[in-house]
Amino acid sequence: MRGKLKFDLNQDPPPDLALEIDVTSKSLDRFPIYARLGVPEIWSYDSGEIKIYQLQVEEYVERETSLVFPNLNIQEIPSLIERYRMVGRRVFRQAIREWVRGQMV
């Protein structure tokens, strides 16, 4: 889908994962939209916590592990965000890459 400017649900697959970062409003109200699109998994980040939701029939159910990234301990991501918050994007991206590599062994 990279580089595509128009999205047609009749022929284009939905994204595998949606990320919602709740700063000013809760993303739970948008879950029915994601369900209609057929997005199988949503990660919702709010107040230093990530929750994983997976589509079951037509609604999302909270789960402990990700279907998209089953080998990653997603719950460690908020502490990584806090640890690298002040160092800039480049250093943070490198830290995330190293963390993922460490999780994949």
Side-chain angles (χ1 to χ4, degrees):
M1 298 302 301
R2 181 173 286 174
K4 202 167 191 183
L5 297 177
K6 295 208 176 194
F7 184 73
D8 180 358
L9 284 174
N10 293 318
Q11 64 186 30
D12 298 324
D16 295 324
L17 173 66
L19 302 173
E20 282 284 341
I21 300 171
D22 295 339
V23 175
T24 57
S25 64
K26 299 295 180 195
S27 58
L28 294 175
D29 295 339
R30 292 187 288 276
F31 281 24
I33 297 167
Y34 289 118
R36 285 193 301 273
L37 291 171
V39 176
E41 185 166 297
I42 300 171
W43 295 1
S44 177
Y45 178 79
D46 184 19
S47 302
E49 181 180 16
I50 291 182
K51 292 186 179 180
I52 300 168
Y53 297 93
Q54 293 167 359
L55 188 59
Q56 303 291 313
V57 187
E58 293 184 8
E59 66 182 32
Y60 288 94
V61 177
E62 189 173 347
R63 299 287 186 213
E64 292 295 317
T65 58
S66 171
L67 289 171
V68 179
F69 297 105
N71 296 329
L72 295 183
N73 183 353
I74 305 305
Q75 302 310 322
E76 291 180 12
I77 293 174
S79 65
L80 284 168
I81 291 170
E82 287 305 313
R83 191 174 323 142
Y84 292 95
R85 180 180 297 276
M86 303 305 287
V87 297
R89 289 183 185 177
R90 193 166 147 228
V91 174
F92 176 69
R93 285 182 189 148
Q94 183 60 36
I96 290 290
R97 285 185 189 107
E98 290 175 16
W99 174 77
V100 169
R101 284 185 197 114
Q103 298 274 313
M104 302 307 282
V105 290

